[in-house]
Amino acid sequence: MKLDKTQLKLFLLLIIVFCFSFSCSENKIVKDESSNSQEKKETVQGENKEESGKNNTEENKTEKKHLSQSEEYIVKGQDKEKENFFDEAILYFKKATEEDQKNAKAFYYLGIAFRKKNDHDQAVQALKKAIELIPDFAEAYLERGIAYQKMKDDQAALGDIKEALKLKPSYPEAFFWLGMVYFDKKDKYTDALEYFTKAIEMKKDYYEAYYRRGLVYKSMNRKTEAMNDFLKTIEYKKDFPEAYTEIGIIYYSKKEKEKSFEFFKKSVETGVPYANAHYHIGLILYERNQYQEAVSELTTAIKLNPVYAEAYNQRGMAYDKLGKYNEALSDFNQALVINPNYSEAIYNRGVIYYKTK
């Protein structure tokens, strides 16, 4: 069949339309597939991102858990330390350092616990670690200085305490411990006074500094100033038996026996056990010829301080007055075991030997 020109044009137009429609349909399929692929890709990426975020969150939670666990051990250790259970405190502080080896505070408290347990070498090592982690840790320098002072290493103690003051110039506790280092040096009382005074100027209610400065004044035979500082001590710390006892000793040295006895009794009434107070009560009771009561007080002193040579000697004298020579001899012998050069106990033992020969 022969097509005319019009029919031929129409036929070609139909072919073009068909081809165009087919091409568009194919592109749409490809586009849809591409779109579906992209959606799947985004979904997978989203899932991966969510999973990654979840993992990061878990890691953060784990890290926080470790940190909080370390801090929790520190709190438990501090509670035990306050109760003077130093072995248990040390275990908790060690656990804190194991949980977080970069926790300087954990090593710091571990050092304090070791020091209070009188394990000064271990204290120094723990505090050294705290300082390595935080080089400007003034409190750690001070604590290590205190440990050195307890070890009688005055040079190292002074170095650390002065470093603490360099880092923290207004640090009354550091001045106090400088005073403590110099207090042990009999020819350095003036330096000790200076540093205790600085501590008091910075901290008006620093009762320990008043007490220590009072002891310095007492050693320098400046009794009035010593008395004032001991009175200041009990003004800020009512249950401080040592200060009451020192006031009693000053009154005793002035022959004011009734006044001294009053302060020795106040020392006992604080409820804080203190052997020296019981010893001085026993001494005055002996002078009052109340020998059995004296024995009772001196026995308490010995229970509180089993190496109290003066208390054994004084109780021996009371036993002698009661005619209990065997007990007296035993006490004089024990006094001499503690202090072989105790001349008064040697003399008193000789008296018993003479009486019982």
Side-chain angles (χ1 to χ4, degrees), residues 3-15:
L3 298 174
D4 59 24
K5 288 182 179 180
T6 302
Q7 289 175 327
L8 183 60
K9 287 180 180 179
L10 182 60
F11 179 72
L12 289 172
L13 182 61
L14 287 171
I15 291 172

Side-chain angles (χ1 to χ4, degrees), residues 281-340:
I281 291 173
L283 176 62
I284 292 176
L285 289 171
Y286 175 86
E287 292 173 350
R288 292 177 178 177
N289 301 324
Q290 296 175 251
Y291 304 122
Q292 193 58 56
E293 292 86 345
V295 165
S296 178
E297 288 293 335
L298 293 162
T299 299
T300 301
I302 290 166
K303 285 179 180 177
L304 292 171
N305 182 5
V307 292
Y308 202 158
E310 292 81 3
Y312 278 108
N313 180 67
Q314 192 63 47
R315 190 175 69 173
M317 292 170 67
Y319 278 135
D320 179 18
K321 292 293 185 181
L322 291 167
K324 297 182 177 182
Y325 300 133
N326 288 335
E327 290 88 340
L329 183 60
S330 176
D331 273 356
F332 295 139
N333 283 332
Q334 187 58 38
L336 289 167
V337 168
I338 298 166
N339 181 5

Side-chain angles (χ1 to χ4, degrees), residues 10 13 59 68 130 139 142 145 155 181 210 244 267 294 304 319 324 330 334 341 344:
L10 182 60
L13 182 61
E59 287 175 7
S68 63
E139 291 79 6
L142 175 59
Q155 186 174 354
V181 173
Y210 280 111
Y244 287 104
S267 177
L304 292 171
Y319 278 135
K324 297 182 177 182
S330 176
Q334 187 58 38
N341 299 317
E344 188 176 348

Side-chain angles (χ1 to χ4, degrees), residues 19 39 65 71 100 106 137 141 182 259 268 272-273 275 289 312:
C19 290
E39 286 177 6
K65 184 178 178 182
E71 294 298 322
D100 183 1
F137 199 161
Y141 274 108
Y182 287 113
K259 197 74 174 174
V268 172
V272 181
N289 301 324
Y312 278 108

Side-chain angles (χ1 to χ4, degrees), residues 67-119:
L67 289 174
S68 63
Q69 184 68 67
S70 180
E71 294 298 322
E72 187 178 324
Y73 282 135
I74 289 174
V75 171
K76 289 180 179 179
Q78 287 176 309
D79 289 340
K80 292 298 180 182
E81 185 189 320
K82 288 174 185 175
E83 297 172 6
N84 294 328
F85 297 144
F86 299 124
D87 287 328
E88 293 178 46
I90 286 167
L91 286 176
Y92 279 121
F93 292 138
K94 280 185 174 180
K95 286 181 179 180
T97 64
E98 290 164 3
E99 283 290 331
D100 183 1
Q101 295 180 6
K102 293 185 178 180
N103 191 338
K105 190 166 68 171
F107 286 102
Y108 169 71
Y109 285 116
L110 178 61
I112 293 175
F114 274 127
R115 177 178 67 76
K116 289 184 176 180
K117 193 191 170 188
N118 294 321
D119 191 343

